[in-house]
Amino acid sequence: MSHYTKTGRKGHGCCGGIVALFLVVVAVFSLLFFCTDVFSGLKDKVMMYFYPQDYSQYVTQYAEEYDVDEALVYAVIKTESGFREDVESSVGAIGLMQIMPDTFEWLQTLSDSEVTYTENDLKNPQINIKYGTYYLSFLLDHYDGREMLAIAAYNGGVANVDKWLKDTNYSADGLTLTDIPYEETKNYVERVEDAKNTYKTLYYDNK
């Protein structure tokens, strides 16, 4: 008798636990259904933390001046330096948009006809963003607005991208790339484009 009673109680408790778990699951899904906006807003805030708009005054100013998509500028900064203004790469690229000193000199002669800044000035956010955005503008013009090529050239160099466009292994029409032979550059293009799309979604698409 006592064994039967004990077993019966155990079964009753198990069923009760299953019912309670079911009610919790229903409650959670109901909360998610009725509070979609709340959770969506929280997700956006988390994403904005990882995809910030630091130095927005400079990004907006020079993106407008050089006719470059703001989201693209932010994406390059995010990918190149993670918004660290004084970072320097192992090959010598400096600052937010990781500009090489020799490229910096060339960009100054191209835009201002003279060199007035030193490589140490690349750690200045305003100067770095100005010339990094100007370089993106130059590349976009060079490739007739084909953004993927401009991004690839920002990382892999104009000479390499131009060479790939002439190679049928990488380009079928001489205007677009079907493949990028440098793994670093291929990954770089994907990262920048993904970051740009995220910035678009977070800050621009609903404007």
Side-chain angles (χ1 to χ4, degrees):
M1 176 70 73
S2 61
H3 175 72
Y4 175 82
T5 303
K6 183 177 180 181
T7 304
R9 287 177 180 174
K10 182 177 180 181
H12 178 73
C14 180
C15 290
I18 293 174
V19 171
L21 178 61
F22 174 76
L23 291 175
V24 169
V25 170
V26 170
V28 169
F29 276 97
S30 298
L31 185 63
L32 288 173
F33 179 80
F34 288 109
C35 301
T36 300
D37 290 341
V38 174
F39 281 92
S40 178
L42 179 60
K43 177 185 175 183
D44 285 350
K45 288 185 182 297
V46 172
M47 291 297 290
M48 286 175 180
Y49 174 81
F50 290 104
Y51 291 83
Q53 286 188 306
D54 297 350
Y55 313 103
S56 60
Q57 68 273 37
Y58 304 135
V59 173
T60 298
Q61 177 183 346
Y62 295 116
E64 181 176 349
E65 181 174 341
Y66 298 124
D67 193 25
V68 178
D69 192 333
E70 280 189 29
L72 176 59
V73 179
Y74 282 120
V76 171
I77 296 173
K78 162 75 175 173
T79 304
E80 289 283 359
S81 68
F83 292 87
R84 293 170 294 168
E85 63 189 53
D86 60 349
V87 68
E88 185 170 346
S89 75
S90 59
V91 296
I94 299 171
L96 292 169
M97 299 185 74
Q98 288 290 277
I99 302 172
M100 293 293 291
D102 56 345
T103 302
F104 183 41
E105 287 190 13
W106 172 71
L107 289 171
Q108 289 182 71
T109 60
L110 193 65
S111 63
D112 306 322
S113 300
E114 60 180 345
V115 177
T116 57
Y117 298 113
T118 67
E119 66 178 69
N120 195 54
D121 290 314
L122 282 170
K123 294 181 180 180
N124 179 310
Q126 182 174 6
I127 293 172
N128 195 285
I129 291 172
K130 174 183 177 179
Y131 286 95
T133 305
Y134 178 69
Y135 189 34
L136 283 173
S137 176
F138 169 85
L139 294 172
L140 287 165
D141 287 343
H142 181 75
Y143 294 110
D144 297 320
R146 295 190 293 278
E147 189 174 275
M148 182 265 208
L149 299 181
I151 296 170
Y154 195 96
N155 175 265
V158 173
N160 284 321
V161 173
D162 288 351
K163 180 178 66 176
W164 299 335
L165 287 171
K166 295 175 182 176
D167 190 331
T168 55
N169 289 311
Y170 310 117
S171 177
D173 56 9
L175 297 173
T176 57
L177 290 175
T178 54
D179 190 23
I180 297 176
Y182 288 3
E183 198 65 27
E184 177 189 336
T185 300
K186 180 188 293 187
N187 292 336
Y188 178 83
V189 170
E190 291 176 357
R191 291 170 60 201
V192 171
E193 289 184 333
D194 286 347
K196 182 194 171 185
N197 290 336
T198 300
Y199 272 102
K200 283 285 193 183
T201 301
L202 288 174
Y203 298 101
Y204 299 100
D205 282 354
N206 295 323
K207 286 188 176 181

